[in-house]
């Protein structure tokens, strides 16, 4: 039976991206077939949907870097028909057909069983962005920084990673400084747990090598000058988790924070993250993420609207998280 999907293909003129009625024969190799019910729109999805990015690297392919669904058939010992699962990373939507399709065939080794208490929709409200935020908070804790040492800063605060990071940090007892370009979202950020809101423009200019110490920890979604400023204003032996590049991929800074203050820069990668830390991050989300707060940062859209949301996220216009209803 055919199923609905967003397919990217490559032509001489570039990429074509659009809805298609797809066939099972188009599914890629894997030992588990999943009926996909929900996906989401992450920043990376926005780039891929634009048809002008280097995100998809196999053609033709279905886009979508994550999904939740129900196992239809499995040759993997860990999964059986009827199991509810989530998948993100491992090349989904990049080198392997992903979540913008009502059916997916993937390696069982990439799948995570839906963690209680979340529904499939809630798991995608979290999605790659929320799970990345949890990886960042885990990394900060592992680096030995704690709320009694000072505040934590979160950049790109009103976005997906930022929103979940604020909620998780606040729950863990941190005093959270939220950096945003959207002053209108101050109430939203305060409800998530931010205790101070700062204008992102104060962090977007060229950084001094070292500046007045402000925070002991941080989750950065912006990169470029913003990350350099975060580092230069980090307290002695603090740590910053680098998650994103919404403001640029460069890092125009100095080694001064590292060699004068012992500041640590922690790289966060959700895609190839091994199953151990991946499951720990989901365990943190299951334990610490208030489901009411999650609902308040989430909007739900039908599959048909995925291109609109993809365009909006690239313009920094999406607040929090978006669930895409893929199928029944
Ligand atoms: P969102 O678009 O939801 O959030 C990004 C936020 O960054 C925006 O909401 C905005 O926040 C801020 N922002 C956007 N443009 C700029 C700019 N030019 N300068 C400064 N700030 C800007 O994206 P996600 O939360 O899904 O992802 C955030 C980043 O993390 C992305 O770069 C994404 O690629 C990356 N990412 C990395 C992962 C990993 O494995 N390392 C996994 C998931 C995401 P505000 O309006 O509050 O200023």
């Amino acid at each position: 039976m055919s199923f609905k999907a967003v397919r990217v293909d490559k032509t001489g003129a570039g990429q074509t991206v659009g809805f298609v009625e797809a066939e099972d024969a188009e599914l890629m190799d894997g030992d588990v077939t999943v009926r996909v019910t929900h996906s989401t729109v992450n920043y990376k999805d926005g780039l891929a949907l634009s048809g002008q990015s280097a995100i998809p690297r196999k053609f033709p392919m279905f886009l979508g870097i994550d999904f939740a669904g129900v196992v239809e058939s499995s040759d993997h010992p860990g999964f059986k028909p009827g199991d509810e699962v989530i998948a993100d990373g491992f090349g989904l939507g990049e080198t392997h057909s992903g979540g913008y399709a009502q059916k997916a065939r993937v390696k069982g080794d990439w799948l995570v069983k839906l963690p209680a208490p979340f529904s499939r929709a809630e798991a995608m409200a979290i999605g790659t962005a929320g799970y990345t935020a949890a990886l960042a908070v885990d990394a900060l804790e592992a680096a030995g920084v704690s709320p009694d040492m000072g505040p934590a800063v979160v950049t790109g605060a009103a976005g997906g990673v930022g929103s979940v990071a604020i909620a998780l940090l606040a729950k863990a007892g941190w005093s959270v400084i939220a950096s945003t370009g959207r002053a209108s979202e101050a109430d939203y950020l305060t409800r998530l747990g931010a205790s101070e809101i700062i204008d992102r423009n104060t962090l977007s200019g060229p950084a001094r090598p070292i500046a007045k110490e402000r925070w002991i920890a941080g989750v950065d979604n912006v990169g470029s000058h913003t990350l350099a400023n975060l580092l230069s204003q980090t307290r002695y032996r603090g740590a910053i988790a680098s998650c994103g590049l919404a403001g640029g991929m460069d890092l125009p800074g100095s080694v001064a924070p590292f060699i004068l203050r012992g500041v640590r820069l922690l790289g966060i990668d959700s895609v190839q993250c091994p199953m151990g830390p991946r499951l720990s991050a989901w365990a943190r989300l299951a334990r610490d993420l208030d489901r009411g707060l999650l609902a308040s940062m989430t909007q739900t859209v039908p599959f048909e609207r995925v291109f609109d949301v993809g365009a909006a996220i690239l313009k920094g216009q999406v607040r929090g998280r978006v669930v895409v209803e893929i199928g029944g």
Side-chain angles (χ1 to χ4, degrees):
M1 232 179 39
S2 68
F3 57 91
K4 193 170 177 175
V6 172
R7 186 166 61 202
V8 60
D9 207 348
K10 205 171 185 176
T11 64
Q15 294 173 17
T16 55
V17 189
F19 280 108
V20 293
E21 281 299 318
E23 303 292 332
D24 280 10
E26 295 180 63
L27 294 172
M28 291 184 170
D29 286 347
D31 49 7
V32 181
T33 303
V34 179
R35 177 171 59 84
V36 176
T37 59
H38 300 83
S39 185
T40 170
V41 182
N42 300 279
Y43 191 83
K44 204 187 247 179
D45 291 312
L47 291 171
L49 287 164
S50 75
Q52 291 172 2
S53 76
I55 303 291
R57 299 192 295 287
K58 261 218 175 124
F59 304 92
M61 186 187 67
F62 307 139
L63 295 180
I65 67 166
D66 43 18
F67 65 76
V70 182
V71 172
E72 267 187 6
S73 62
S74 169
D75 292 323
H76 187 284
F79 298 95
K80 59 180 189 324
D83 282 348
E84 294 183 288
V85 291
I86 52 180
D88 46 59
F90 293 120
L92 288 178
E94 300 188 64
T95 53
H96 194 102
S97 281
Y100 294 160
Q102 290 170 329
K103 210 182 255 195
R105 187 172 298 136
V106 298
K107 284 189 183 172
D109 289 350
W110 299 347
L111 293 172
V112 169
K113 288 221 170 109
L114 182 72
F118 299 125
S119 66
R120 277 173 266 136
E122 285 173 322
M124 283 301 102
I126 295 166
T128 299
Y131 139 71
T132 300
L135 286 175
V137 178
D138 281 353
L140 290 171
E141 262 184 20
V145 286
S146 54
D148 54 305
M149 297 173 174
V153 63
V154 175
T155 63
V161 179
S163 294
V164 178
I166 292 169
L168 291 177
L169 286 165
K171 174 74 180 175
W174 287 89
S175 170
V176 181
I177 302 170
S179 165
T180 184
R182 289 181 266 183
S184 56
E185 298 298 355
D187 285 350
Y188 164 77
L189 296 168
T190 305
R191 274 199 310 277
L192 294 183
S195 45
E196 186 183 341
I197 317 283
I198 59 173
D199 184 336
R200 78 183 191 198
N201 287 332
T202 62
L203 297 171
S204 61
R208 302 223 304 269
I210 204 104
K212 186 167 178 279
E213 293 176 72
R214 289 173 82 180
W215 33 73
I216 189 77
V219 175
D220 177 57
N221 296 302
V222 176
S224 193
H225 292 299
T226 300
L227 178 54
N229 274 299
L230 247 54
L231 291 166
S232 73
Q233 296 174 46
T234 300
R235 293 186 187 180
Y236 189 72
R237 288 183 69 76
I240 301 293
S242 164
C243 296
L245 43 55
M249 204 171 190
D250 57 337
L251 179 49
S254 139
V255 298
F258 308 128
I259 62 174
L260 299 179
R261 288 194 184 145
V263 167
R264 274 84 43 79
L265 178 57
L266 313 173
I268 305 299
D269 165 54
S270 64
V271 176
Q272 297 298 337
C273 179
M275 208 37 92
R278 193 176 276 264
L279 292 176
S280 299
W282 278 103
R284 174 184 289 275
L285 289 158
R287 188 190 67 218
D288 284 356
L289 186 60
D290 182 281
R291 292 163 76 202
L293 272 189
L294 179 64
S296 76
M297 65 174 90
T298 304
Q299 52 171 308
T300 301
V301 299
F303 199 2
E304 292 70 27
R305 285 211 45 222
V306 79
F307 283 95
D308 302 341
V309 181
I313 203 166
L314 293 185
K315 293 187 200 138
Q317 290 169 348
V318 171
R319 183 179 90 174
R321 300 284 303 135
V322 181
V323 172
V324 182
E325 292 177 322
I326 299 291

